[in-house]
Amino acid sequence: MNLTPHFTLDELTASETAERNGWDNSPNEQELENLKRLADFLEQVKVVMGGKPIMISSGLRTKKVNDAVGSKDTSQHRIGCAADFKVPGMTPDEVVRKIIASGIGYDQVISEFGRWVHISVPNSVDTPPRKQALIIDKAGTRQFT
């Protein structure tokens, strides 16, 4: 099912952890609405990246999947408001810099371990984006500079 022209429900709910364990990683009604907002936002990210592919590695995570990957219950992945991705030919830091410079309304954008980018939309349509830019690596979590 296409959520937007370039993003599908399957890619935003795909999980190797769920698949390997035979777990369901399907969204409930509210999570599906959040995934639609996230997909709409990812279309903006794609434009900012000059139309390059956005390769999603993680989107929605049910509690069981989220627990299995060692993430916190407060993760925006739990409610369908976050995605981890790569852009071929660009480093995560380059992607984050372009997103920050674009002025689009991200909630969080995080360069994680120099390997991928985490991006999120606010948890509800009524909440303004925090525009929080971070780096997470073995040295810890800090502001992106």
Side-chain angles (χ1 to χ4, degrees), residues 6 23 28 30 42 45 66 72-73 82 90 105 116 135 141:
H6 296 102
W23 299 337
N28 63 31
Q30 183 58 57
L42 289 168
V45 172
N66 200 58
K72 298 176 183 175
D73 278 340
M90 296 181 73
W116 67 85
I135 295 174
T141 303

Side-chain angles (χ1 to χ4, degrees), residues 8-93:
T8 67
L9 180 60
D10 284 347
E11 73 184 309
L12 288 173
T13 59
S15 166
E16 289 180 18
T17 301
E19 196 172 305
R20 184 174 47 250
N21 291 291
W23 299 337
D24 183 29
N25 197 49
S26 300
N28 63 31
E29 220 173 284
Q30 183 58 57
E31 292 162 348
L32 180 58
E33 289 306 310
N34 289 341
L35 286 170
K36 288 176 183 175
R37 284 192 305 114
L38 178 62
D40 284 338
F41 182 71
L42 289 168
E43 292 289 349
Q44 294 178 52
V45 172
K46 185 171 180 66
V47 170
V48 168
M49 296 302 126
K52 291 183 179 182
I54 305 293
M55 310 299 294
I56 307 292
S57 58
S58 181
L60 175 73
R61 295 187 202 135
T62 60
K63 176 150 177 56
K64 189 180 269 192
V65 171
N66 200 58
D67 289 350
V69 300
S71 191
K72 298 176 183 175
D73 278 340
T74 56
S75 169
Q76 289 178 292
H77 287 279
R78 282 281 297 111
I79 58 172
C81 288
D84 295 339
F85 69 96
K86 295 178 181 180
V87 176
M90 296 181 73
T91 68
D93 286 0

Side-chain angles (χ1 to χ4, degrees), residues 89-115:
M90 296 181 73
T91 68
D93 286 0
E94 289 170 333
V95 171
V96 170
R97 279 188 196 95
K98 280 195 97 145
I99 290 169
I100 292 169
S102 75
I104 61 173
Y106 60 89
D107 193 54
Q108 283 188 317
V109 63
I110 307 171
S111 176
E112 294 197 39
F113 303 99
R115 294 178 38 219

